[in-house]
Amino acid sequence: AQTVTQSQPEMSVQEAETVTLSCTYDTSESDYYLFWYKQPPSRQMILVIRQEAYKQQNATENRFSVNFQKAAKSFSLKISDSQLGDAAMYFCAYRTLTGANSKLTFGKGITLSVRP
Amino acid sequence: DAGVTQSPTHLIKTRGQHVTLRCSPISGHKSVSWYQQVLGQGPQFIFQYYEKEERGRGNFPDRFSARQFPNYSSELNVNALLLGDSALYLCASSLGQWDYEQYFGPGTRLTVT
């Protein structure tokens, strides 16, 4: 079974600074998706960024980028120029490309606070 | 366009009771998945339905059941509620069964006393 580990329960960053959120996962599969989701206090889960395992190039979405290390099974999220609106819980998630369904396996999440 | 909607927003039930949670996917989306998010934890997969058929089930007891209707809306039913069922229940929809992006609703907060 696949597992996703987020070992940092909380992090804090100064507004306009850069922060990196860590995630590791365990799988025996070679093809899969990895995601970072954001869950603000209003609770609606929003997709931040995704990475296909077969792609060597790290995904980037505006101020958000990932560092995907397939061999190390590591998938970190870098937020540049942090803004107050980035404060939320962030979840790392894994999705297989095989099997009967497209379930997401989530980590425990990390609470990010942004200091003005 | 309306996003995924869930009802009710909050619910308080007593141990042993039954509860029904409802989800309406984004228009045109045919796949609905349910997740349970206990406070302080990440969401855990309960079910996926696509074209009204169950396509996946997580590690939850038989007290949990779901169905999908012809209009692709879905219900999650939980029987014989336990204190441990207290959680945020999230519904997510996607266009097809295998689309990588799932759109989440705001959730239903269930409290079992």
Side-chain angles (χ1 to χ4, degrees), chain A residues 39-98:
Chain A
Q39 189 177 40
S42 64
R43 302 179 308 184
Q44 196 118 14
M45 193 89 71
I46 304 165
L47 177 64
V48 175
I49 198 166
R50 81 174 191 279
Q51 175 79 42
E52 292 92 338
Y54 65 86
K55 290 185 177 178
Q56 292 187 343
Q57 186 173 6
N58 290 323
T60 299
E61 288 287 343
N62 300 314
R63 299 183 294 106
F64 299 87
S65 62
V66 299
N67 183 3
F68 174 49
Q69 301 290 327
K70 191 174 184 180
K73 296 179 182 175
S74 170
F75 182 60
S76 60
L77 174 69
K78 186 172 80 172
I79 306 174
S80 304
D81 185 25
S82 297
Q83 301 174 0
L84 294 177
D86 295 333
M89 277 205 77
Y90 286 82
F91 293 95
C92 178
Y94 172 102
R95 207 203 91 177
T96 182
L97 287 176
T98 60

Short mmCIF file of all heavy atoms in Angstrom, two decimals, chain A residues 39-98:
data_model
loop_
_atom_site.label_atom_id
_atom_site.label_comp_id
_atom_site.label_asym_id
_atom_site.label_seq_id
_atom_site.Cartn_x
_atom_site.Cartn_y
_atom_site.Cartn_z
N GLN A 39 -5.81 23.70 1.96
CA GLN A 39 -7.10 23.75 2.63
C GLN A 39 -7.13 24.94 3.58
O GLN A 39 -6.66 24.87 4.70
CB GLN A 39 -7.38 22.45 3.39
CG GLN A 39 -8.80 22.36 3.93
CD GLN A 39 -9.06 21.03 4.62
OE1 GLN A 39 -8.20 20.51 5.33
NE2 GLN A 39 -10.25 20.46 4.42
N PRO A 40 -7.70 26.06 3.12
CA PRO A 40 -7.79 27.25 3.98
C PRO A 40 -8.77 26.99 5.12
O PRO A 40 -9.50 26.00 5.09
CB PRO A 40 -8.32 28.34 3.03
CG PRO A 40 -8.17 27.78 1.66
CD PRO A 40 -8.24 26.30 1.78
N PRO A 41 -8.81 27.89 6.07
CA PRO A 41 -9.74 27.72 7.20
C PRO A 41 -11.19 27.56 6.76
O PRO A 41 -11.97 26.98 7.48
CB PRO A 41 -9.53 28.99 8.01
CG PRO A 41 -8.13 29.39 7.72
CD PRO A 41 -7.90 29.01 6.28
N SER A 42 -11.58 28.02 5.60
CA SER A 42 -12.95 27.84 5.10
C SER A 42 -13.23 26.42 4.67
O SER A 42 -14.34 26.07 4.33
CB SER A 42 -13.20 28.78 3.92
OG SER A 42 -12.35 28.42 2.84
N ARG A 43 -12.20 25.57 4.66
CA ARG A 43 -12.27 24.13 4.46
C ARG A 43 -12.24 23.63 3.03
O ARG A 43 -12.04 22.47 2.81
CB ARG A 43 -13.50 23.53 5.16
CG ARG A 43 -13.58 23.77 6.62
CD ARG A 43 -14.82 23.18 7.20
NE ARG A 43 -16.02 23.60 6.49
CZ ARG A 43 -17.24 23.27 6.88
NH1 ARG A 43 -17.43 22.51 7.92
NH2 ARG A 43 -18.29 23.69 6.19
N GLN A 44 -12.50 24.47 2.04
CA GLN A 44 -12.54 23.96 0.67
C GLN A 44 -11.13 23.61 0.20
O GLN A 44 -10.24 24.45 0.18
CB GLN A 44 -13.15 25.00 -0.28
CG GLN A 44 -13.58 24.47 -1.61
CD GLN A 44 -15.08 24.62 -1.83
OE1 GLN A 44 -15.75 25.34 -1.11
NE2 GLN A 44 -15.60 23.93 -2.82
N MET A 45 -10.93 22.36 -0.15
CA MET A 45 -9.65 21.85 -0.60
C MET A 45 -9.41 22.31 -2.04
O MET A 45 -10.28 22.14 -2.91
CB MET A 45 -9.66 20.33 -0.54
CG MET A 45 -8.32 19.68 -0.68
SD MET A 45 -7.47 19.47 0.88
CE MET A 45 -8.47 18.19 1.61
N ILE A 46 -8.24 22.88 -2.30
CA ILE A 46 -7.93 23.41 -3.63
C ILE A 46 -6.63 22.79 -4.11
O ILE A 46 -5.65 22.71 -3.37
CB ILE A 46 -7.75 24.94 -3.58
CG1 ILE A 46 -8.99 25.61 -2.98
CG2 ILE A 46 -7.47 25.50 -4.97
CD1 ILE A 46 -8.75 27.04 -2.58
N LEU A 47 -6.61 22.36 -5.36
CA LEU A 47 -5.39 21.81 -5.94
C LEU A 47 -4.40 22.95 -6.20
O LEU A 47 -4.73 23.94 -6.83
CB LEU A 47 -5.69 21.09 -7.25
CG LEU A 47 -4.49 20.53 -7.99
CD1 LEU A 47 -3.81 19.44 -7.17
CD2 LEU A 47 -4.90 19.98 -9.36
N VAL A 48 -3.18 22.78 -5.70
CA VAL A 48 -2.13 23.78 -5.89
C VAL A 48 -1.26 23.43 -7.08
O VAL A 48 -1.00 24.26 -7.96
CB VAL A 48 -1.26 23.89 -4.61
CG1 VAL A 48 -0.08 24.84 -4.85
CG2 VAL A 48 -2.09 24.38 -3.43
N ILE A 49 -0.82 22.18 -7.12
CA ILE A 49 0.12 21.77 -8.16
C ILE A 49 0.13 20.26 -8.25
O ILE A 49 -0.16 19.58 -7.26
CB ILE A 49 1.53 22.33 -7.85
CG1 ILE A 49 2.42 22.34 -9.07
CG2 ILE A 49 2.16 21.61 -6.67
CD1 ILE A 49 3.69 23.18 -8.88
N ARG A 50 0.43 19.74 -9.43
CA ARG A 50 0.53 18.29 -9.59
C ARG A 50 1.81 17.96 -10.34
O ARG A 50 2.36 18.79 -11.07
CB ARG A 50 -0.67 17.75 -10.36
CG ARG A 50 -0.57 17.91 -11.87
CD ARG A 50 -1.70 17.24 -12.61
NE ARG A 50 -1.46 17.19 -14.04
CZ ARG A 50 -1.65 18.18 -14.88
NH1 ARG A 50 -2.08 19.34 -14.43
NH2 ARG A 50 -1.41 18.02 -16.17
N GLN A 51 2.25 16.72 -10.15
CA GLN A 51 3.46 16.23 -10.81
C GLN A 51 3.20 14.82 -11.31
O GLN A 51 2.74 13.96 -10.53
CB GLN A 51 4.65 16.22 -9.82
CG GLN A 51 5.93 15.62 -10.35
CD GLN A 51 6.70 16.57 -11.25
OE1 GLN A 51 6.82 17.77 -10.98
NE2 GLN A 51 7.25 16.04 -12.33
N GLU A 52 3.46 14.58 -12.57
CA GLU A 52 3.40 13.22 -13.08
C GLU A 52 4.75 12.56 -12.87
O GLU A 52 5.78 13.17 -13.21
CB GLU A 52 3.05 13.22 -14.58
CG GLU A 52 1.64 13.67 -14.88
CD GLU A 52 1.53 15.17 -15.14
OE1 GLU A 52 2.43 15.91 -14.69
OE2 GLU A 52 0.57 15.59 -15.79
N ALA A 53 4.77 11.36 -12.36
CA ALA A 53 6.03 10.71 -12.00
C ALA A 53 6.93 10.46 -13.20
O ALA A 53 8.15 10.41 -13.06
CB ALA A 53 5.74 9.39 -11.28
N TYR A 54 6.33 10.31 -14.39
CA TYR A 54 7.16 10.02 -15.56
C TYR A 54 7.86 11.26 -16.09
O TYR A 54 8.75 11.17 -16.94
CB TYR A 54 6.32 9.38 -16.67
CG TYR A 54 5.24 10.28 -17.25
CD1 TYR A 54 5.54 11.16 -18.29
CD2 TYR A 54 3.95 10.25 -16.76
CE1 TYR A 54 4.56 11.96 -18.82
CE2 TYR A 54 2.96 11.05 -17.29
CZ TYR A 54 3.27 11.91 -18.33
OH TYR A 54 2.30 12.71 -18.85
N LYS A 55 7.48 12.42 -15.60
CA LYS A 55 8.11 13.66 -16.04
C LYS A 55 9.28 14.01 -15.13
O LYS A 55 9.11 14.10 -13.92
CB LYS A 55 7.10 14.81 -16.05
CG LYS A 55 6.04 14.71 -17.12
CD LYS A 55 5.16 15.95 -17.13
CE LYS A 55 4.14 15.87 -18.26
NZ LYS A 55 3.25 17.06 -18.28
N GLN A 56 10.44 14.22 -15.70
CA GLN A 56 11.60 14.58 -14.90
C GLN A 56 11.58 16.05 -14.51
O GLN A 56 12.11 16.44 -13.48
CB GLN A 56 12.89 14.26 -15.66
CG GLN A 56 13.11 12.77 -15.84
CD GLN A 56 14.46 12.47 -16.45
OE1 GLN A 56 15.10 13.35 -17.02
NE2 GLN A 56 14.90 11.23 -16.32
N GLN A 57 10.94 16.87 -15.36
CA GLN A 57 10.91 18.30 -15.08
C GLN A 57 9.98 18.59 -13.92
O GLN A 57 8.84 18.08 -13.87
CB GLN A 57 10.45 19.06 -16.32
CG GLN A 57 10.51 20.56 -16.17
CD GLN A 57 10.20 21.28 -17.47
OE1 GLN A 57 9.82 20.65 -18.46
NE2 GLN A 57 10.36 22.58 -17.49
N ASN A 58 10.45 19.41 -12.99
CA ASN A 58 9.64 19.79 -11.84
C ASN A 58 8.51 20.73 -12.26
O ASN A 58 8.72 21.66 -13.03
CB ASN A 58 10.50 20.47 -10.78
CG ASN A 58 11.43 19.50 -10.10
OD1 ASN A 58 11.08 18.34 -9.87
ND2 ASN A 58 12.62 19.96 -9.79
N ALA A 59 7.32 20.49 -11.72
CA ALA A 59 6.17 21.33 -12.05
C ALA A 59 6.28 22.70 -11.39
O ALA A 59 6.84 22.84 -10.28
CB ALA A 59 4.89 20.64 -11.59
N THR A 60 5.73 23.69 -12.07
CA THR A 60 5.71 25.06 -11.56
C THR A 60 4.36 25.69 -11.88
O THR A 60 3.85 25.51 -12.99
CB THR A 60 6.82 25.91 -12.21
OG1 THR A 60 8.08 25.33 -11.88
CG2 THR A 60 6.79 27.33 -11.69
N GLU A 61 3.82 26.38 -10.90
CA GLU A 61 2.57 27.14 -11.09
C GLU A 61 2.74 28.48 -10.38
O GLU A 61 2.57 28.60 -9.18
CB GLU A 61 1.37 26.38 -10.48
CG GLU A 61 0.92 25.16 -11.21
CD GLU A 61 0.21 25.47 -12.51
OE1 GLU A 61 -0.23 26.63 -12.72
OE2 GLU A 61 0.07 24.55 -13.33
N ASN A 62 3.12 29.48 -11.16
CA ASN A 62 3.30 30.84 -10.61
C ASN A 62 4.30 30.81 -9.46
O ASN A 62 5.46 30.44 -9.65
CB ASN A 62 1.95 31.42 -10.20
CG ASN A 62 0.99 31.50 -11.37
OD1 ASN A 62 1.36 31.94 -12.45
ND2 ASN A 62 -0.23 31.03 -11.17
N ARG A 63 3.87 31.15 -8.23
CA ARG A 63 4.80 31.20 -7.10
C ARG A 63 5.06 29.83 -6.47
O ARG A 63 5.86 29.72 -5.55
CB ARG A 63 4.22 32.13 -6.03
CG ARG A 63 4.01 33.56 -6.47
CD ARG A 63 3.50 34.44 -5.32
NE ARG A 63 2.16 34.06 -4.88
CZ ARG A 63 1.90 33.42 -3.74
NH1 ARG A 63 2.87 33.11 -2.91
NH2 ARG A 63 0.65 33.13 -3.41
N PHE A 64 4.39 28.81 -6.98
CA PHE A 64 4.51 27.47 -6.40
C PHE A 64 5.33 26.57 -7.33
O PHE A 64 5.09 26.53 -8.54
CB PHE A 64 3.12 26.86 -6.20
CG PHE A 64 2.24 27.64 -5.27
CD1 PHE A 64 1.45 28.68 -5.74
CD2 PHE A 64 2.21 27.34 -3.92
CE1 PHE A 64 0.64 29.41 -4.87
CE2 PHE A 64 1.40 28.05 -3.04
CZ PHE A 64 0.61 29.10 -3.52
N SER A 65 6.27 25.87 -6.75
CA SER A 65 7.06 24.92 -7.52
C SER A 65 7.36 23.72 -6.64
O SER A 65 7.26 23.79 -5.42
CB SER A 65 8.36 25.57 -8.02
OG SER A 65 9.15 25.97 -6.93
N VAL A 66 7.69 22.62 -7.30
CA VAL A 66 8.00 21.41 -6.54
C VAL A 66 9.42 20.97 -6.83
O VAL A 66 10.00 21.30 -7.86
CB VAL A 66 7.02 20.26 -6.86
CG1 VAL A 66 5.59 20.65 -6.50
CG2 VAL A 66 7.13 19.82 -8.32
N ASN A 67 9.96 20.21 -5.90
CA ASN A 67 11.23 19.52 -6.08
C ASN A 67 10.92 18.04 -5.97
O ASN A 67 10.71 17.52 -4.87
CB ASN A 67 12.24 19.95 -5.02
CG ASN A 67 13.60 19.30 -5.25
OD1 ASN A 67 13.80 18.57 -6.24
ND2 ASN A 67 14.53 19.53 -4.36
N PHE A 68 10.83 17.38 -7.11
CA PHE A 68 10.46 15.98 -7.20
C PHE A 68 11.70 15.14 -7.36
O PHE A 68 12.42 15.24 -8.36
CB PHE A 68 9.51 15.77 -8.38
CG PHE A 68 9.15 14.35 -8.66
CD1 PHE A 68 8.73 13.50 -7.66
CD2 PHE A 68 9.24 13.84 -9.96
CE1 PHE A 68 8.41 12.18 -7.92
CE2 PHE A 68 8.91 12.52 -10.24
CZ PHE A 68 8.49 11.69 -9.22
N GLN A 69 11.97 14.31 -6.36
CA GLN A 69 13.12 13.41 -6.38
C GLN A 69 12.57 11.99 -6.37
O GLN A 69 12.29 11.43 -5.30
CB GLN A 69 14.01 13.67 -5.17
CG GLN A 69 14.55 15.08 -5.06
CD GLN A 69 15.59 15.37 -6.14
OE1 GLN A 69 16.33 14.49 -6.55
NE2 GLN A 69 15.61 16.62 -6.59
N LYS A 70 12.41 11.40 -7.55
CA LYS A 70 11.74 10.11 -7.66
C LYS A 70 12.48 9.00 -6.94
O LYS A 70 11.88 8.18 -6.25
CB LYS A 70 11.53 9.74 -9.13
CG LYS A 70 10.61 8.54 -9.34
CD LYS A 70 10.32 8.32 -10.81
CE LYS A 70 9.32 7.18 -10.99
NZ LYS A 70 9.00 6.94 -12.43
N ALA A 71 13.78 8.96 -7.08
CA ALA A 71 14.55 7.89 -6.45
C ALA A 71 14.47 7.98 -4.93
O ALA A 71 14.39 6.96 -4.24
CB ALA A 71 16.00 7.96 -6.91
N ALA A 72 14.47 9.17 -4.43
CA ALA A 72 14.39 9.38 -2.98
C ALA A 72 12.95 9.38 -2.49
O ALA A 72 12.71 9.44 -1.28
CB ALA A 72 15.06 10.70 -2.61
N LYS A 73 11.99 9.34 -3.41
CA LYS A 73 10.56 9.38 -3.08
C LYS A 73 10.26 10.60 -2.22
O LYS A 73 9.65 10.51 -1.15
CB LYS A 73 10.11 8.07 -2.42
CG LYS A 73 10.25 6.89 -3.36
CD LYS A 73 9.82 5.58 -2.73
CE LYS A 73 10.03 4.44 -3.73
NZ LYS A 73 9.76 3.12 -3.17
N SER A 74 10.70 11.72 -2.73
CA SER A 74 10.53 12.98 -2.04
C SER A 74 9.82 13.97 -2.95
O SER A 74 10.10 14.02 -4.16
CB SER A 74 11.90 13.52 -1.62
OG SER A 74 11.81 14.84 -1.15
N PHE A 75 8.94 14.78 -2.38
CA PHE A 75 8.13 15.68 -3.19
C PHE A 75 7.84 16.93 -2.35
O PHE A 75 6.87 16.99 -1.62
CB PHE A 75 6.82 14.97 -3.57
CG PHE A 75 5.90 15.78 -4.45
CD1 PHE A 75 6.31 16.20 -5.71
CD2 PHE A 75 4.61 16.07 -4.05
CE1 PHE A 75 5.45 16.93 -6.53
CE2 PHE A 75 3.74 16.79 -4.87
CZ PHE A 75 4.17 17.22 -6.11
N SER A 76 8.70 17.93 -2.43
CA SER A 76 8.54 19.11 -1.60
C SER A 76 7.92 20.25 -2.39
O SER A 76 8.08 20.34 -3.62
CB SER A 76 9.89 19.53 -1.00
OG SER A 76 10.81 19.83 -2.03
N LEU A 77 7.26 21.12 -1.68
CA LEU A 77 6.60 22.29 -2.29
C LEU A 77 7.30 23.55 -1.83
O LEU A 77 7.48 23.78 -0.64
CB LEU A 77 5.13 22.35 -1.86
CG LEU A 77 4.34 23.60 -2.29
CD1 LEU A 77 4.12 23.59 -3.81
CD2 LEU A 77 3.00 23.67 -1.57
N LYS A 78 7.70 24.38 -2.80
CA LYS A 78 8.30 25.65 -2.49
C LYS A 78 7.33 26.77 -2.83
O LYS A 78 6.80 26.82 -3.95
CB LYS A 78 9.61 25.85 -3.26
CG LYS A 78 10.35 27.13 -2.86
CD LYS A 78 11.73 27.23 -3.49
CE LYS A 78 11.69 27.70 -4.91
NZ LYS A 78 13.04 27.97 -5.45
N ILE A 79 7.10 27.62 -1.85
CA ILE A 79 6.24 28.79 -2.06
C ILE A 79 7.13 30.02 -2.01
O ILE A 79 7.77 30.30 -0.98
CB ILE A 79 5.14 28.89 -0.99
CG1 ILE A 79 4.33 27.59 -0.92
CG2 ILE A 79 4.21 30.06 -1.29
CD1 ILE A 79 3.31 27.55 0.22
N SER A 80 7.19 30.73 -3.10
CA SER A 80 8.01 31.94 -3.17
C SER A 80 7.15 33.17 -2.93
O SER A 80 5.94 33.15 -3.17
CB SER A 80 8.66 32.04 -4.56
OG SER A 80 9.42 30.89 -4.85
N ASP A 81 7.79 34.24 -2.42
CA ASP A 81 7.07 35.49 -2.21
C ASP A 81 5.76 35.24 -1.44
O ASP A 81 4.67 35.57 -1.90
CB ASP A 81 6.77 36.17 -3.55
CG ASP A 81 6.14 37.54 -3.41
OD1 ASP A 81 6.34 38.19 -2.38
OD2 ASP A 81 5.41 37.95 -4.35
N SER A 82 5.88 34.60 -0.29
CA SER A 82 4.71 34.20 0.49
C SER A 82 3.76 35.37 0.75
O SER A 82 4.20 36.49 1.04
CB SER A 82 5.15 33.59 1.82
OG SER A 82 5.91 32.43 1.61
N GLN A 83 2.48 35.06 0.66
CA GLN A 83 1.45 36.06 0.89
C GLN A 83 0.56 35.62 2.04
O GLN A 83 0.48 34.43 2.36
CB GLN A 83 0.63 36.25 -0.38
CG GLN A 83 1.45 36.68 -1.58
CD GLN A 83 0.67 36.74 -2.87
OE1 GLN A 83 -0.53 36.44 -2.91
NE2 GLN A 83 1.34 37.14 -3.95
N LEU A 84 -0.13 36.59 2.65
CA LEU A 84 -0.99 36.27 3.79
C LEU A 84 -2.03 35.23 3.41
O LEU A 84 -2.41 34.38 4.22
CB LEU A 84 -1.66 37.54 4.31
CG LEU A 84 -0.73 38.59 4.92
CD1 LEU A 84 -1.51 39.82 5.34
CD2 LEU A 84 0.05 38.04 6.10
N GLY A 85 -2.48 35.27 2.18
CA GLY A 85 -3.48 34.32 1.71
C GLY A 85 -2.96 32.90 1.54
O GLY A 85 -3.74 31.99 1.30
N ASP A 86 -1.65 32.71 1.68
CA ASP A 86 -1.10 31.36 1.60
C ASP A 86 -1.27 30.60 2.91
O ASP A 86 -1.04 29.39 2.95
CB ASP A 86 0.40 31.43 1.25
CG ASP A 86 0.65 31.99 -0.14
OD1 ASP A 86 -0.23 31.87 -1.01
OD2 ASP A 86 1.75 32.56 -0.34
N ALA A 87 -1.66 31.28 3.95
CA ALA A 87 -1.85 30.62 5.24
C ALA A 87 -2.98 29.60 5.14
O ALA A 87 -4.10 29.93 4.75
CB ALA A 87 -2.18 31.63 6.32
N ALA A 88 -2.66 28.35 5.44
CA ALA A 88 -3.63 27.25 5.27
C ALA A 88 -2.96 25.96 5.71
O ALA A 88 -1.79 25.93 6.06
CB ALA A 88 -4.06 27.13 3.81
N MET A 89 -3.76 24.89 5.65
CA MET A 89 -3.17 23.54 5.76
C MET A 89 -2.83 23.08 4.36
O MET A 89 -3.60 23.28 3.41
CB MET A 89 -4.15 22.57 6.40
CG MET A 89 -4.17 22.63 7.90
SD MET A 89 -4.72 21.08 8.66
CE MET A 89 -3.27 20.07 8.50
N TYR A 90 -1.67 22.45 4.23
CA TYR A 90 -1.23 21.92 2.94
C TYR A 90 -1.07 20.41 3.06
O TYR A 90 -0.42 19.90 3.97
CB TYR A 90 0.09 22.56 2.52
CG TYR A 90 -0.08 23.99 2.07
CD1 TYR A 90 -0.15 25.03 2.99
CD2 TYR A 90 -0.19 24.30 0.71
CE1 TYR A 90 -0.33 26.34 2.58
CE2 TYR A 90 -0.37 25.61 0.29
CZ TYR A 90 -0.45 26.62 1.23
OH TYR A 90 -0.63 27.92 0.82
N PHE A 91 -1.67 19.74 2.11
CA PHE A 91 -1.62 18.28 2.08
C PHE A 91 -0.90 17.80 0.83
O PHE A 91 -1.17 18.26 -0.27
CB PHE A 91 -3.04 17.69 2.08
CG PHE A 91 -3.80 17.92 3.35
CD1 PHE A 91 -4.68 18.99 3.47
CD2 PHE A 91 -3.65 17.05 4.42
CE1 PHE A 91 -5.39 19.20 4.63
CE2 PHE A 91 -4.36 17.25 5.60
CZ PHE A 91 -5.23 18.33 5.70
N CYS A 92 -0.02 16.86 1.04
CA CYS A 92 0.62 16.15 -0.04
C CYS A 92 -0.23 14.91 -0.33
O CYS A 92 -0.74 14.28 0.62
CB CYS A 92 2.03 15.77 0.40
SG CYS A 92 3.00 14.82 -0.78
N ALA A 93 -0.41 14.57 -1.58
CA ALA A 93 -1.27 13.42 -1.91
C ALA A 93 -0.69 12.63 -3.08
O ALA A 93 -0.01 13.19 -3.95
CB ALA A 93 -2.68 13.89 -2.25
N TYR A 94 -1.01 11.35 -3.07
CA TYR A 94 -0.52 10.41 -4.08
C TYR A 94 -1.71 9.78 -4.78
O TYR A 94 -2.75 9.49 -4.14
CB TYR A 94 0.30 9.32 -3.36
CG TYR A 94 0.72 8.15 -4.21
CD1 TYR A 94 2.02 8.05 -4.69
CD2 TYR A 94 -0.17 7.11 -4.52
CE1 TYR A 94 2.42 6.97 -5.46
CE2 TYR A 94 0.22 6.03 -5.28
CZ TYR A 94 1.51 5.96 -5.75
OH TYR A 94 1.91 4.89 -6.50
N ARG A 95 -1.57 9.55 -6.08
CA ARG A 95 -2.62 8.84 -6.81
C ARG A 95 -1.99 7.85 -7.77
O ARG A 95 -1.13 8.21 -8.56
CB ARG A 95 -3.50 9.81 -7.59
CG ARG A 95 -4.92 9.29 -7.80
CD ARG A 95 -5.59 9.92 -8.98
NE ARG A 95 -5.35 9.13 -10.18
CZ ARG A 95 -5.87 9.42 -11.36
NH1 ARG A 95 -6.63 10.47 -11.53
NH2 ARG A 95 -5.62 8.65 -12.40
N THR A 96 -2.45 6.62 -7.69
CA THR A 96 -1.94 5.60 -8.58
C THR A 96 -2.51 5.78 -9.98
O THR A 96 -3.55 6.43 -10.16
CB THR A 96 -2.32 4.20 -8.06
OG1 THR A 96 -1.77 3.22 -8.93
CG2 THR A 96 -3.83 4.02 -8.02
N LEU A 97 -1.85 5.22 -10.95
CA LEU A 97 -2.37 5.22 -12.32
C LEU A 97 -2.91 3.86 -12.70
O LEU A 97 -3.38 3.66 -13.81
CB LEU A 97 -1.27 5.62 -13.31
CG LEU A 97 -0.89 7.09 -13.29
CD1 LEU A 97 0.26 7.36 -14.23
CD2 LEU A 97 -2.08 7.95 -13.68
N THR A 98 -2.85 2.92 -11.76
CA THR A 98 -3.37 1.58 -12.02
C THR A 98 -4.44 1.28 -10.99
O THR A 98 -4.69 2.06 -10.08
CB THR A 98 -2.25 0.53 -11.95
OG1 THR A 98 -1.67 0.57 -10.63
CG2 THR A 98 -1.18 0.81 -12.97
#
